[in-house]
Amino acid sequence: MRWRSVLPRLGYELPPDLTPPSANGPLTPSVPLELIRQSVSAREYWDIPEPVAEQYRRYRPTPLWRATAFERAIGAEVPVYVKYEGGNISGSHKLNTALAQAYYYQRAGVRELVTGTGAGQWGTALAAACAAFGLSCTVFMVGGSLRDKPYRGSLMRLLGAQVHASPSGLTEIGHQGGGNSLALAIGEAVEYAKAGAGRAFCIGSGENYSILHQSVIGQEAIEQLSTLDAEVDTVIGCVGAGSNFGGIALPFFSGDDQGPTLLAAESSSTPKLTRGVYAYDLTDATGTGPMEAMYTIGSQYSIPASHSAGLRFHGAAKLLSAMRHRGQIAATAVGQRAALEAGRAFAGSELIVPAPESGHALAAAASVVTGRDAKHRGGRGVLVCVSGHGLLDLAAYDQLLAGQLTDLAADPEAVELATAALTRVDNTLVEVN
């Protein structure tokens, strides 16, 4: 198995990053050169370093099966195939890139990796990867999520990480407050990493290299579907910044119109791909990182709290945003009640509790295979990635069972205000749902 990049198949170059107004001069990349090469090179296949491959073999390949019990539970008209990424210690797909990044940072002489995390899956994955490669790890986790999922913090500490609720008192931006958002947690991690020798900030989702590392998911799925003599017309994954969806879907992208529909399922509270604008925006709350061309609802938008914390990022990865802009991927928004109801149906039928984020993908799949989604048809079948388990998210399911869940959709006026000053990439926007 090798990593497979979609960049050579796009047929165009991604828009360049811009220096943010707050920066003094050009930005100096702090990531290892090999990760930079993986982000910009036109090479399609990349060898996986043996130390990383050795770690992968502990839990890969991950299972793929036809979810016939789920099909019966939801009244599916076509087959549903599930690719499950929740069987490793992090409980999610995030470990695929965490191991790779920890390896490259360790080789570059870094002693401590610092990151921000929403639901805690990425923080857990990085803590595990740092333990595997002998690095220290510090995690800033969105405070509301840490309160809702305290055992995520316990697991990260068990793996040797230092865990701080964001906003914290450890950084200047944390002292300023600003609510509970992944952008703020990332901003704190950026500031904290810059303040210490031997530290480096590490991000798990939006960068091209992290999406590249996740390509093992889709490549395995293609082989496993072939073994089952199965074909699918739609491939679905949930989207925060984009590594899970990119991992399952982009290996199916051929550069023409012959492949399956690639459908990104996002949260209706953070609908960047379906209700956002294609513009240059900040990637974190410090404003010190590069401005990237992305579909965004605005880095200053106050995202309402929800149990789909891993999807609560204001923008989509620049790679996925460019593909969305050119109509190469599709998108749909799902409310958290529908997501958790789909998760409940999956748990009761397939006997696996999915993470709330994965529930969004399952809800989108249910709409497609039952014919409720008139725009996207299942045809021969649908492949959906269940990116992680929900065993540390049971408080969300408790609220569902108690009838206490509410859906807080994005406020159109607030989104318009948060994006008004952003520089659009151009004046032609992809039609949204």
Side-chain angles (χ1 to χ4, degrees):
M1 177 70 72
R2 293 178 291 173
W3 293 314
R4 186 181 182 186
S5 173
V6 76
L7 294 178
R9 290 174 278 158
L10 292 179
Y12 54 86
E13 294 184 0
L14 300 181
D17 295 348
L18 300 181
T19 301
S22 60
N24 296 317
L27 295 172
T28 301
S30 60
V31 300
L33 287 177
E34 185 66 7
L35 294 179
I36 295 174
R37 282 193 286 267
Q38 292 172 1
S39 291
V40 300
S41 173
R43 184 195 307 175
E44 184 170 10
Y45 288 99
W46 297 78
D47 291 334
I48 300 174
E50 178 54 30
V52 178
E54 180 183 0
Q55 294 293 333
Y56 280 2
R57 286 191 286 268
R58 297 177 186 273
Y59 65 97
R60 305 210 69 88
T62 59
L64 180 147
W65 71 93
R66 180 174 173 181
T68 54
F70 182 62
E71 292 171 16
R72 290 192 295 270
I74 63 175
E77 299 172 354
V78 297
V80 178
Y81 298 94
V82 171
K83 180 68 167 166
Y84 181 57
E85 291 291 307
N88 61 73
I89 191 169
S90 75
S92 82
H93 70 292
K94 297 288 189 177
L95 192 58
N96 298 324
T97 188
L99 288 166
Q101 292 189 50
Y103 167 78
Y104 288 120
Y105 277 102
Q106 191 269 343
R107 286 192 63 192
V110 171
R111 299 190 300 275
E112 178 183 357
L113 288 178
V114 186
T115 198
T117 189
Q121 293 175 336
W122 166 243
T124 306
L126 190 62
C130 286
F133 287 104
L135 298 172
S136 298
C137 182
T138 299
V139 179
F140 290 85
M141 183 170 174
V142 174
S145 293
L146 186 56
R147 288 189 293 273
D148 289 340
K149 312 177 204 301
Y151 292 120
R152 275 286 174 194
S154 300
L155 182 52
M156 285 183 265
R157 287 187 287 269
L158 179 66
L159 292 166
Q162 297 291 320
V163 183
H164 305 287
S166 176
S168 74
L170 298 177
T171 66
E172 182 177 346
I173 191 171
H175 279 295
Q176 296 171 6
N180 287 273
S181 74
L182 183 52
L184 178 59
I186 290 173
E188 287 208 82
V190 170
E191 181 183 333
Y192 185 83
K194 287 183 177 180
R199 295 176 186 164
F201 170 71
C202 182
I203 194 164
S205 187
E207 297 305 313
N208 289 351
Y209 54 79
S210 63
I211 296 174
L212 171 72
H213 302 153
Q214 298 295 353
S215 65
V216 293
I217 304 173
Q219 291 186 87
E220 284 181 4
I222 290 171
E223 294 180 2
Q224 291 165 321
L225 288 171
S226 177
T227 299
L228 295 174
D229 197 24
E231 295 183 85
V232 296
D233 290 317
T234 303
V235 179
I236 302 175
C238 60
V239 170
S243 68
N244 165 63
F245 172 75
I248 188 67
L250 297 193
F252 287 85
F253 179 73
S254 61
D256 54 37
D257 296 329
Q258 302 306 310
T261 298
L262 309 179
L263 181 59
E266 62 184 4
S267 168
S268 61
S269 68
T270 323
K272 50 266 186 172
L273 289 171
T274 56
R275 294 289 181 266
V277 300
Y278 191 39
Y280 279 96
D281 200 2
L282 300 170
T283 57
D284 68 86
T286 66
T288 56
M291 297 190 73
E292 296 183 355
M294 65 175 77
Y295 270 94
T296 177
I297 56 174
S299 57
Q300 302 305 310
Y301 179 77
S302 180
I303 299 170
S306 75
H307 287 289
S308 51
L311 308 187
R312 295 180 67 251
F313 188 61
H314 63 276
K318 58 186 174 184
L319 171 57
L320 298 185
S321 293
M323 295 182 74
R324 171 64 167 158
H325 188 61
R326 288 158 179 81
Q328 295 170 322
I329 65 173
T332 188
V334 177
Q336 70 171 346
R337 281 186 295 181
L340 287 165
E341 286 288 4
R344 178 185 183 185
F346 191 80
S349 56
E350 297 293 327
L351 306 185
I352 289 177
V353 181
E357 293 84 357
S358 298
H360 290 70
L362 288 166
S367 292
V368 170
V369 300
T370 58
R372 296 196 305 270
D373 184 338
K375 294 187 66 176
H376 308 106
R377 295 297 181 182
R380 293 166 294 182
V382 167
L383 171 65
V384 58
C385 185
V386 174
S387 59
H389 70 63
L391 297 178
L392 297 177
D393 302 284
L394 293 178
Y397 286 101
D398 269 346
Q399 289 192 12
L400 173 71
L401 296 173
Q404 298 172 347
L405 278 185
T406 57
D407 283 325
L408 296 175
D411 181 349
E413 293 184 1
V415 170
E416 183 177 358
L417 181 64
T419 59
L422 299 179
T423 300
R424 304 302 199 265
V425 177
D426 61 40
N427 293 322
T428 305
L429 296 178
V430 172
E431 181 181 353
V432 297
N433 293 345

